[in-house]
Amino acid sequence: MGALLELEGVTAGYGGGDILHELDLAVEEGAITCIVGPNGAGKSTILRVVSGLLRPRLGRIHFRGASLVGLSPHAILRRGIVQVPQERSLFPTMSVWENVRLGAYTVNDRALVERRLQAVCDTFPIVRSRRHEPAASLSGGQQKIVEFARALMLDPALVVLDEPSMGLDPKTRTAVFDTIRAMNRAGRTILLVEQNARSGLGLASHGVVMESGRVRLDGSGSAVLSNPEIGRLFLGATA
Protein backbone atom coordinates (compact mmCIF):
# COMPACT_ATOMS: atom_id res chain seq x y z
CA MET A 1 0.00 0.00 0.00
CA GLY A 2 3.04 2.30 0.15
CA ALA A 3 5.06 3.78 2.97
CA LEU A 4 3.11 5.56 5.69
CA LEU A 5 6.28 6.57 7.55
CA GLU A 6 9.75 7.04 6.06
CA LEU A 7 13.08 7.81 7.71
CA GLU A 8 15.86 8.71 5.30
CA GLY A 9 19.47 9.24 6.35
CA VAL A 10 18.51 9.91 9.96
CA THR A 11 21.39 10.61 12.32
CA ALA A 12 20.49 11.32 15.95
CA GLY A 13 21.73 10.90 19.49
CA TYR A 14 22.24 12.49 22.87
CA GLY A 15 24.76 14.91 24.32
CA GLY A 16 26.76 15.20 21.15
CA GLY A 17 27.04 11.42 20.59
CA ASP A 18 25.16 9.82 17.71
CA ILE A 19 23.15 6.64 18.30
CA LEU A 20 21.53 6.41 14.86
CA HIS A 21 23.80 6.64 11.83
CA GLU A 22 22.24 7.57 8.45
CA LEU A 23 19.29 5.31 9.17
CA ASP A 24 16.81 4.42 6.42
CA LEU A 25 13.52 2.83 7.48
CA ALA A 26 10.09 2.54 5.89
CA VAL A 27 6.86 1.51 7.63
CA GLU A 28 4.31 0.30 5.11
CA GLU A 29 0.69 1.27 5.59
CA GLY A 30 -1.34 -1.60 7.01
CA ALA A 31 1.73 -3.56 8.11
CA ILE A 32 3.19 -4.64 11.42
CA THR A 33 6.83 -3.57 11.39
CA CYS A 34 8.93 -5.05 14.19
CA ILE A 35 12.37 -3.70 15.13
CA VAL A 36 14.68 -5.96 17.12
CA GLY A 37 18.31 -5.86 18.13
CA PRO A 38 20.62 -5.90 21.15
CA ASN A 39 20.60 -3.29 23.88
CA GLY A 40 22.08 -0.05 22.65
CA ALA A 41 21.28 -0.75 19.00
CA GLY A 42 19.13 2.38 18.71
CA LYS A 43 15.64 0.87 18.78
CA SER A 44 14.16 3.23 21.37
CA THR A 45 16.00 6.16 19.81
CA ILE A 46 14.05 5.54 16.59
CA LEU A 47 10.79 5.79 18.51
CA ARG A 48 11.89 9.00 20.23
CA VAL A 49 12.75 10.53 16.86
CA VAL A 50 9.41 9.49 15.35
CA SER A 51 7.42 10.87 18.29
CA GLY A 52 9.26 14.20 18.33
CA LEU A 53 10.97 13.68 21.68
CA LEU A 54 14.37 13.79 19.96
CA ARG A 55 15.22 15.92 16.95
CA PRO A 56 17.54 14.27 14.41
CA ARG A 57 20.82 16.00 13.65
CA LEU A 58 20.58 14.95 10.01
CA GLY A 59 18.05 13.30 7.75
CA ARG A 60 14.38 13.40 6.88
CA ILE A 61 11.25 11.94 8.46
CA HIS A 62 8.03 11.91 6.46
CA PHE A 63 4.59 10.77 7.55
CA ARG A 64 1.95 10.65 4.83
CA GLY A 65 4.39 12.61 2.69
CA ALA A 66 4.76 15.53 5.14
CA SER A 67 7.86 16.26 7.18
CA LEU A 68 7.81 15.59 10.94
CA VAL A 69 11.23 17.11 11.66
CA GLY A 70 10.93 20.03 14.06
CA LEU A 71 7.34 19.31 15.08
CA SER A 72 6.47 19.02 18.77
CA PRO A 73 5.27 15.70 20.22
CA HIS A 74 1.80 17.25 20.55
CA ALA A 75 1.76 18.23 16.88
CA ILE A 76 2.90 14.74 15.85
CA LEU A 77 0.18 13.23 18.01
CA ARG A 78 -2.37 15.33 16.14
CA ARG A 79 -0.97 14.06 12.83
CA GLY A 80 -2.07 10.56 13.84
CA ILE A 81 0.93 8.91 15.54
CA VAL A 82 0.28 7.52 19.02
CA GLN A 83 2.92 5.82 21.14
CA VAL A 84 2.35 3.34 23.97
CA PRO A 85 5.46 3.52 26.17
CA GLN A 86 7.36 0.61 27.63
CA GLU A 87 6.65 1.74 31.18
CA ARG A 88 3.17 1.34 32.62
CA SER A 89 1.47 4.64 32.02
CA LEU A 90 -2.03 4.29 33.46
CA PHE A 91 -3.07 6.42 36.44
CA PRO A 92 -3.39 3.68 39.08
CA THR A 93 -6.08 5.25 41.28
CA MET A 94 -8.27 6.31 38.35
CA SER A 95 -10.81 3.90 36.91
CA VAL A 96 -10.26 2.00 33.69
CA TRP A 97 -13.00 4.12 32.09
CA GLU A 98 -11.34 7.38 33.16
CA ASN A 99 -7.94 6.24 31.91
CA VAL A 100 -9.29 5.32 28.50
CA ARG A 101 -11.20 8.59 28.16
CA LEU A 102 -7.97 10.49 28.72
CA GLY A 103 -6.77 9.18 25.38
CA ALA A 104 -9.16 11.61 23.69
CA TYR A 105 -8.06 14.67 25.62
CA THR A 106 -7.30 16.55 22.38
CA VAL A 107 -10.75 15.80 20.89
CA ASN A 108 -13.31 18.56 21.50
CA ASP A 109 -16.30 16.78 19.94
CA ARG A 110 -18.01 15.00 22.86
CA ALA A 111 -20.24 12.91 20.60
CA LEU A 112 -17.18 11.71 18.70
CA VAL A 113 -15.48 10.79 21.98
CA GLU A 114 -18.50 8.71 22.99
CA ARG A 115 -18.58 6.91 19.64
CA ARG A 116 -14.90 6.11 19.88
CA LEU A 117 -15.31 4.92 23.46
CA GLN A 118 -18.02 2.48 22.42
CA ALA A 119 -15.89 1.25 19.52
CA VAL A 120 -12.94 0.73 21.86
CA CYS A 121 -15.18 -1.20 24.26
CA ASP A 122 -16.26 -3.47 21.41
CA THR A 123 -12.62 -4.11 20.50
CA PHE A 124 -11.37 -4.46 24.08
CA PRO A 125 -14.17 -5.98 26.24
CA ILE A 126 -12.11 -5.52 29.40
CA VAL A 127 -12.66 -1.76 29.15
CA ARG A 128 -16.40 -2.27 29.60
CA SER A 129 -16.30 -5.16 32.06
CA ARG A 130 -13.76 -3.52 34.39
CA ARG A 131 -14.66 0.11 33.68
CA HIS A 132 -15.36 1.13 37.29
CA GLU A 133 -12.32 -0.57 38.80
CA PRO A 134 -9.07 1.27 39.50
CA ALA A 135 -6.34 0.60 36.95
CA ALA A 136 -4.09 -0.66 39.76
CA SER A 137 -6.40 -3.65 40.22
CA LEU A 138 -5.55 -5.02 36.77
CA SER A 139 -2.73 -7.41 35.96
CA GLY A 140 0.26 -6.19 33.97
CA GLY A 141 -1.09 -7.64 30.75
CA GLN A 142 -4.56 -6.20 31.33
CA GLN A 143 -3.06 -2.78 31.96
CA LYS A 144 -1.16 -3.01 28.69
CA ILE A 145 -4.36 -3.79 26.80
CA VAL A 146 -6.08 -0.81 28.44
CA GLU A 147 -3.13 1.32 27.30
CA PHE A 148 -3.78 0.08 23.75
CA ALA A 149 -7.44 1.03 24.14
CA ARG A 150 -6.53 4.51 25.34
CA ALA A 151 -4.22 4.98 22.34
CA LEU A 152 -7.03 4.12 19.93
CA MET A 153 -9.24 6.88 21.33
CA LEU A 154 -7.40 9.25 18.97
CA ASP A 155 -8.14 7.00 15.98
CA PRO A 156 -4.43 6.99 15.03
CA ALA A 157 -3.04 6.05 11.65
CA LEU A 158 0.13 4.67 13.26
CA VAL A 159 0.38 2.95 16.66
CA VAL A 160 3.92 2.83 18.05
CA LEU A 161 4.58 0.17 20.71
CA ASP A 162 7.74 0.15 22.81
CA GLU A 163 8.55 -3.30 24.27
CA PRO A 164 4.90 -4.26 24.99
CA SER A 165 5.80 -7.72 26.33
CA MET A 166 8.43 -6.52 28.80
CA GLY A 167 7.99 -8.21 32.19
CA LEU A 168 5.02 -10.34 31.16
CA ASP A 169 4.68 -14.09 31.68
CA PRO A 170 4.36 -16.25 28.53
CA LYS A 171 0.57 -16.63 28.72
CA THR A 172 0.00 -12.91 29.19
CA ARG A 173 2.55 -12.10 26.50
CA THR A 174 0.58 -14.25 24.05
CA ALA A 175 -2.61 -12.35 24.91
CA VAL A 176 -0.86 -9.01 24.30
CA PHE A 177 0.49 -10.17 20.93
CA ASP A 178 -2.97 -11.47 19.98
CA THR A 179 -4.32 -8.01 20.77
CA ILE A 180 -1.67 -6.37 18.58
CA ARG A 181 -2.59 -8.71 15.75
CA ALA A 182 -6.28 -7.84 16.21
CA MET A 183 -5.52 -4.11 16.08
CA ASN A 184 -3.68 -4.63 12.83
CA ARG A 185 -6.52 -6.68 11.33
CA ALA A 186 -8.82 -3.80 12.24
CA GLY A 187 -6.76 -1.53 10.01
CA ARG A 188 -4.08 -0.09 12.29
CA THR A 189 -0.51 0.22 11.09
CA ILE A 190 1.85 -0.93 13.86
CA LEU A 191 5.48 0.01 14.52
CA LEU A 192 6.76 -2.29 17.23
CA VAL A 193 10.03 -2.45 19.15
CA GLU A 194 10.23 -5.82 20.87
CA GLN A 195 12.83 -7.45 23.11
CA ASN A 196 11.43 -10.93 22.46
CA ALA A 197 12.73 -11.26 18.91
CA ARG A 198 11.13 -14.58 18.06
CA SER A 199 7.65 -13.51 19.14
CA GLY A 200 7.93 -10.05 17.61
CA LEU A 201 9.25 -11.18 14.24
CA GLY A 202 6.77 -14.05 14.18
CA LEU A 203 3.98 -11.50 14.47
CA ALA A 204 5.41 -9.01 11.97
CA SER A 205 4.86 -8.64 8.26
CA HIS A 206 8.12 -6.65 8.11
CA GLY A 207 11.16 -7.25 10.29
CA VAL A 208 14.15 -4.97 10.93
CA VAL A 209 17.29 -5.92 12.83
CA MET A 210 19.31 -3.06 14.29
CA GLU A 211 22.95 -3.08 15.28
CA SER A 212 25.01 -0.07 16.39
CA GLY A 213 22.49 2.43 15.10
CA ARG A 214 22.19 0.90 11.63
CA VAL A 215 19.87 -1.56 9.92
CA ARG A 216 21.66 -4.90 9.82
CA LEU A 217 18.88 -7.00 8.27
CA ASP A 218 15.59 -6.04 6.64
CA GLY A 219 12.84 -8.13 5.08
CA SER A 220 9.63 -10.00 5.79
CA GLY A 221 9.24 -11.02 9.42
CA SER A 222 9.49 -14.71 8.58
CA ALA A 223 12.55 -14.25 6.36
CA VAL A 224 14.39 -12.23 8.98
CA LEU A 225 13.47 -14.71 11.68
CA SER A 226 14.76 -17.65 9.65
CA ASN A 227 18.06 -15.94 8.80
CA PRO A 228 20.82 -17.91 10.59
CA GLU A 229 22.54 -14.68 11.54
CA ILE A 230 19.56 -13.78 13.74
CA GLY A 231 19.97 -16.81 15.96
CA ARG A 232 23.67 -16.21 16.33
CA LEU A 233 23.57 -12.49 16.98
CA PHE A 234 20.25 -11.50 18.46
CA LEU A 235 17.89 -14.18 19.68
CA GLY A 236 19.88 -15.81 22.45
CA ALA A 237 17.79 -16.05 25.61
CA THR A 238 14.84 -14.30 23.95
CA ALA A 239 14.29 -17.18 21.56
Side-chain angles (χ1 to χ4, degrees), residues 154-167:
L154 281 176
D155 193 23
L158 176 64
V159 180
V160 179
L161 306 177
D162 189 4
E163 307 276 17
S165 76
M166 179 70 74

Side-chain angles (χ1 to χ4, degrees), residues 29-102:
E29 188 166 6
I32 299 177
T33 297
C34 179
I35 304 173
V36 302
N39 291 336
K43 305 185 299 296
S44 293
T45 303
I46 292 174
L47 302 193
R48 291 180 66 84
V49 165
V50 168
S51 64
L53 295 171
L54 177 65
R55 186 167 184 170
R57 189 168 63 81
L58 298 169
R60 299 184 297 174
I61 306 171
H62 285 90
F63 179 68
R64 289 176 163 168
S67 177
L68 297 183
V69 174
L71 296 183
S72 68
H74 187 264
I76 290 174
L77 184 69
R78 285 187 173 276
R79 294 287 180 96
I81 300 176
V82 173
Q83 182 167 337
V84 178
Q86 179 187 131
E87 302 81 11
R88 293 182 185 175
S89 60
L90 299 182
F91 292 92
T93 60
M94 293 174 63
S95 71
V96 168
W97 200 252
E98 291 168 329
N99 269 283
V100 172
R101 278 182 175 275
L102 281 176

Side-chain angles (χ1 to χ4, degrees), residues 35-208:
I35 304 173
V36 302
N39 291 336
K43 305 185 299 296
S44 293
T45 303
I46 292 174
L47 302 193
R48 291 180 66 84
V49 165
V50 168
S51 64
L53 295 171
L54 177 65
R55 186 167 184 170
R57 189 168 63 81
L58 298 169
R60 299 184 297 174
I61 306 171
H62 285 90
F63 179 68
R64 289 176 163 168
S67 177
L68 297 183
V69 174
L71 296 183
S72 68
H74 187 264
I76 290 174
L77 184 69
R78 285 187 173 276
R79 294 287 180 96
I81 300 176
V82 173
Q83 182 167 337
V84 178
Q86 179 187 131
E87 302 81 11
R88 293 182 185 175
S89 60
L90 299 182
F91 292 92
T93 60
M94 293 174 63
S95 71
V96 168
W97 200 252
E98 291 168 329
N99 269 283
V100 172
R101 278 182 175 275
L102 281 176
Y105 75 96
T106 63
V107 180
N108 296 320
D109 185 335
R110 296 181 63 179
L112 178 59
V113 171
E114 292 304 317
R115 289 196 299 272
R116 287 184 181 174
L117 185 60
Q118 294 308 313
V120 162
C121 287
D122 291 341
T123 303
F124 306 99
I126 192 173
V127 173
R128 181 176 285 120
S129 65
R130 305 287 292 273
R131 62 187 181 278
H132 298 308
E133 298 180 33
S137 69
L138 304 181
S139 68
Q142 290 170 334
Q143 289 190 37
K144 185 60 64 177
I145 290 171
V146 171
E147 289 176 350
F148 294 168
R150 182 177 61 187
L152 294 193
M153 286 294 290
L154 281 176
D155 193 23
L158 176 64
V159 180
V160 179
L161 306 177
D162 189 4
E163 307 276 17
S165 76
M166 179 70 74
L168 302 180
D169 62 83
K171 182 178 180 180
T172 305
R173 184 172 66 218
T174 297
V176 166
F177 281 128
D178 286 346
T179 303
I180 294 170
R181 189 177 287 109
M183 285 196 296
N184 178 247
R185 284 199 300 264
R188 308 292 175 179
T189 302
I190 309 290
L191 174 59
L192 164 70
V193 164
E194 179 50 46
Q195 51 87 27
N196 189 296
R198 188 172 297 281
S199 295
L201 292 173
L203 174 75
S205 46
H206 179 211
V208 177

Side-chain angles (χ1 to χ4, degrees), residues 4-22:
L4 180 66
L5 174 72
E6 293 181 283
L7 284 71
E8 299 177 350
V10 170
T11 297
Y14 312 93
D18 292 331
I19 303 297
L20 303 179
H21 304 279
E22 299 182 356

